[in-house]
Amino acid sequence: MSVSAPLERQPQPVSNEFPAKEWAMVGSPEEHGLSTDVRENVGAMLDALPTTSFMVVAGGRTLYSYGDVSEVSYLASTRKSILSMLFGSAVAEGKIDLDLTMADLNIDEDHGLLPIEKTATLRDLLISSSGVYHRPGSPGSNMKNIPERGSKKPGDHFHYNNWDFNVLGAAFEQLTGRSVFTAFKEDFAGPMGMQDFDPSRQRMMGYEGASRYLAYHFFLSARDMARVGLTMVRNGRWRDEQIVPASWVAESTRIHVPAGKMNESEKSRIAGYSYLWWIPVVTKDTPEWEGACVAAGHFGQFILCLPALDMVFVNRRSIPDDLAIARNDGSFKEELSSVTMENFLCVADQFIAAKLRAR
């Protein structure tokens, strides 16, 4: 259940504070409502989940941490929201035109895309509505009620398919002349001062022979994911540098596919899908959720950006590298215990409710 707040409450003024080499701790946690009772309640909730680390940022400082927030592990589909952020500057600089089609980009498969599939645009792919139902090169797609090839017009039907997301990575590299990982290192990891980023850990992964387009997978720590989230909360800014255009932050986090059209990918408390971000429900009683967005990855990799309260929440369910690689090449097919979106948001609710009570 969402936390309620009176309508007259105004958004929290945004701090100008950003972490330096290390994250600073909030000086007075009680000003954010973080009492002993709240800590104990949250600790018990996290202990009951397979969460390996959890971090809360308020005003650019660490409010709360659980587990080893320096541990680096597989992000799964959280990678997609990061790619959305990388698209921002490339679009603003004219390097990427979202109306380019698969035909324009010479995107094809070994056995060929259909003529209608080649009319899909990058914009269609960003909202997972390409109308291309070719087998993807990596796991994690919605495998229920997959439409027949050529049965849907691009842009008309949402189906969560990794083919779209993987091709977006290939298109980014083709149009910008940089790999996704190089762009991340130069545009984000460096300027944000990430503490645990290791370029050698980032890798392409996927099935043999399924598709020409594999998945670009990130391996990051919770505290470096929090830096990504803080950038979004601060409207694309990191200190004095606008590393994601503010206009892109707005466009990429407004609802493009409402929940009612998300088919089997509907999620509790999610109002819709944007450009590779999940957008939470906002009601007249929950204005603190205005502008919020969530990056979500399999097993429980989450970033919640809550700009109205200047807060970031990160959850990690660590997956060893060998299992992440095996899952993506198809040799490991078991399902491990996971943290759901609902689990994650329920923990975040405790901090949000405490902060609102303290105001």
Side-chain angles (χ1 to χ4, degrees):
M1 181 181 297
S2 294
V3 180
S4 295
L7 286 175
E8 64 268 23
R9 285 187 176 164
Q10 298 300 311
Q12 181 88 347
V14 174
S15 165
N16 286 318
E17 184 161 352
F18 289 83
K21 183 177 180 181
E22 299 283 344
W23 283 89
M25 297 295 296
V26 166
S28 301
E30 62 277 5
E31 292 181 2
H32 299 271
L34 190 55
S35 64
T36 299
D37 287 347
V38 172
R39 285 184 180 276
E40 291 178 351
N41 183 41
V42 167
M45 293 176 74
L46 292 172
D47 286 343
L49 298 171
T51 292
T52 52
S53 61
F54 193 94
M55 184 170 173
V56 183
V57 174
R61 293 186 170 214
T62 301
L63 175 63
Y64 176 89
S65 66
Y66 172 97
D68 182 1
V69 296
S70 70
E71 182 183 18
V72 174
S73 65
Y74 169 64
L75 260 62
S77 288
T78 301
R79 69 185 175 97
K80 297 162 189 173
S81 302
I82 290 174
L83 182 64
S84 176
M85 294 172 68
L86 287 171
F87 259 69
S89 290
V91 170
E93 293 166 4
K95 294 178 181 177
I96 294 180
D97 178 350
L98 297 184
D99 294 321
L100 288 173
T101 67
M102 300 303 96
D104 294 332
L105 295 167
N106 294 314
I107 299 292
D108 209 340
E109 291 284 5
D110 289 348
H111 297 293
L113 292 182
L114 300 175
I116 190 174
E117 293 175 329
K118 291 185 178 183
T119 68
T121 66
L122 292 177
R123 197 183 307 276
D124 296 330
L125 272 61
L126 281 169
I127 59 172
S128 198
S129 302
S130 70
V132 179
Y133 305 115
H134 189 282
R135 185 186 174 197
S138 62
S141 302
N142 172 20
M143 301 307 294
K144 299 178 181 178
N145 299 320
I146 302 173
E148 292 292 323
R149 296 276 302 275
S151 65
K152 303 294 183 182
K153 180 182 176 183
D156 284 359
H157 183 81
F158 181 93
H159 186 83
Y160 193 85
N161 184 6
N162 270 357
W163 191 91
D164 292 18
F165 310 126
N166 296 346
V167 168
L168 282 169
F172 177 90
E173 296 187 346
Q174 176 183 331
L175 294 169
T176 66
R178 292 190 297 169
S179 75
V180 170
F181 302 130
T182 296
F184 180 85
K185 176 183 177 181
E186 295 175 351
D187 297 356
F188 292 172
M192 293 180 198
M194 290 189 175
Q195 296 167 261
D196 309 304
F197 177 69
D198 180 354
S200 69
R201 292 282 290 275
Q202 322 310 312
R203 64 186 76 194
M204 302 298 293
M205 296 195 291
Y207 304 131
E208 282 286 336
S211 170
R212 293 180 182 177
Y213 308 101
L214 301 184
Y216 44 92
H217 276 293
F218 288 99
F219 292 73
L220 301 176
S221 66
R223 62 186 182 182
D224 283 346
M225 289 169 70
R227 291 177 187 249
V228 171
L230 184 59
T231 301
M232 290 296 288
V233 162
R234 298 290 171 78
N235 212 24
R237 182 172 57 89
W238 189 268
R239 298 190 184 279
D240 296 327
E241 188 175 356
Q242 193 73 37
I243 60 177
V244 180
S247 59
W248 181 259
V249 172
E251 177 65 10
S252 66
T253 59
R254 72 174 180 86
I255 293 175
H256 292 274
V257 181
K261 293 186 177 181
M262 286 168 55
N263 304 311
E264 294 82 11
S265 295
E266 285 190 69
K267 298 179 185 293
S268 175
R269 297 181 57 176
I270 294 299
Y273 196 72
S274 190
Y275 288 169
L276 313 184
W277 290 93
W278 304 91
I279 309 303
V281 170
V282 184
T283 72
K284 63 181 179 62
D285 296 321
T286 60
E288 62 273 15
W289 289 88
E290 188 67 44
C293 57
V294 181
H298 201 63
F299 303 116
Q301 326 308 332
F302 294 106
I303 307 172
L304 166 62
C305 308
L306 205 64
L309 295 181
D310 196 21
M311 298 183 77
V312 178
F313 301 82
V314 174
N315 187 90
R316 301 308 314 277
R317 195 290 192 207
S318 178
I319 300 296
D321 283 20
D322 59 341
L323 285 188
I325 293 167
R327 179 174 186 266
N328 278 273
D329 69 19
S331 61
F332 180 81
K333 298 181 180 179
E334 296 177 34
E335 275 301 321
L336 304 176
S337 58
S338 300
V339 179
T340 67
M341 178 85 78
E342 180 68 20
N343 295 152
F344 170 59
L345 294 181
C346 282
V347 177
D349 281 341
Q350 310 310 305
F351 294 95
I352 295 167
K355 187 176 182 73
L356 294 174
R357 287 194 299 268
R359 288 168 67 176

